[in-house]
Amino acid sequence: MAPSPAKDSSFKRFLAWFGSTRAGAWTIINLGSHIDSWLIRASGGTLNTTFAWPCLLLMTKGAKTGKRRTTPLVYMSDGENLVLIASKGGDPRHPAWYLNLKANPACEVFLDGKTTRYIARDAEGEERDKLWNKAVGVYSGYEKYKKRAGGRKIPVVVLEPQPD
């Protein structure tokens, strides 16, 4: 029997609250990401530990090492583009995946069982404001992360698909 929409809503609100706490952000970054790297690939992208938000696997080239790095991330779509929020749970430092994209904007994304090439760029100005507001509408915890980030402007990253 499927859960009622009210229960889904309550559970999603609980997950959003927990994820926006320092302990929740730590758990997601340090535990959930290791599980999701395997779970997302094994399920063809249908399962992840957040349950309530869509996730993808972002493959980048390490900024310092040049090694391939894989990071599971919550995302949203904006037309054919994908949008990522470089919040790192409100940490005052940028996440490693963001620094990797700044050094090497070419990346790959595993989503819906297939891998696609993208080029990353930072959203700026009105586009950034629009996408940030859309992201907060999807996951309200981003506003708490913004307050905790110690003045760091959390980047909004746009991934644009590249032709094969």
Side-chain angles (χ1 to χ4, degrees), residues 11-157:
F11 184 62
K12 189 171 182 176
R13 282 194 308 271
F14 169 77
L15 288 175
W17 168 80
F18 179 69
S20 70
T21 67
R22 288 186 192 276
W26 184 92
T27 301
I28 292 165
I29 291 167
N30 294 290
L31 299 178
S33 64
H34 295 293
I35 296 166
D36 277 340
S37 291
W38 174 83
L39 187 59
I40 291 168
R41 188 158 311 274
S43 70
T46 59
L47 298 174
N48 65 69
T49 59
T50 68
F51 305 108
W53 295 275
C55 288
L56 54 74
L57 294 178
L58 174 69
M59 282 81 72
T60 60
K61 182 178 178 182
K64 294 179 183 176
T65 66
K67 292 182 182 178
R68 183 177 169 101
R69 304 292 185 194
T70 301
T71 308
L73 296 168
V74 171
Y75 76 95
M76 5 174 250
S77 296
D78 185 49
E80 65 178 9
N81 296 334
L82 302 176
V83 179
L84 308 173
I85 306 300
S87 64
K88 197 177 181 184
D91 195 280
R93 297 163 297 170
H94 292 309
W97 64 262
Y98 175 74
L99 300 174
N100 292 345
L101 288 176
K102 292 303 284 182
N104 304 295
C107 61
E108 292 181 332
V109 169
F110 180 79
L111 180 62
D112 297 329
K114 65 180 182 176
T115 301
T116 307
R117 292 182 353 207
Y118 288 84
I119 294 290
R121 65 175 175 80
D122 285 354
E124 301 291 342
E126 287 182 21
E127 179 190 34
R128 184 199 183 282
D129 295 342
K130 176 192 85 152
L131 294 173
W132 175 263
N133 290 333
K134 184 176 177 180
V136 169
V138 171
Y139 177 63
S140 61
Y142 289 133
E143 281 296 330
K144 287 184 182 178
Y145 295 167
K146 180 180 167 182
K147 291 175 185 170
R148 266 202 315 257
R152 173 174 73 93
K153 186 174 185 179
I154 295 175
V156 176
V157 179

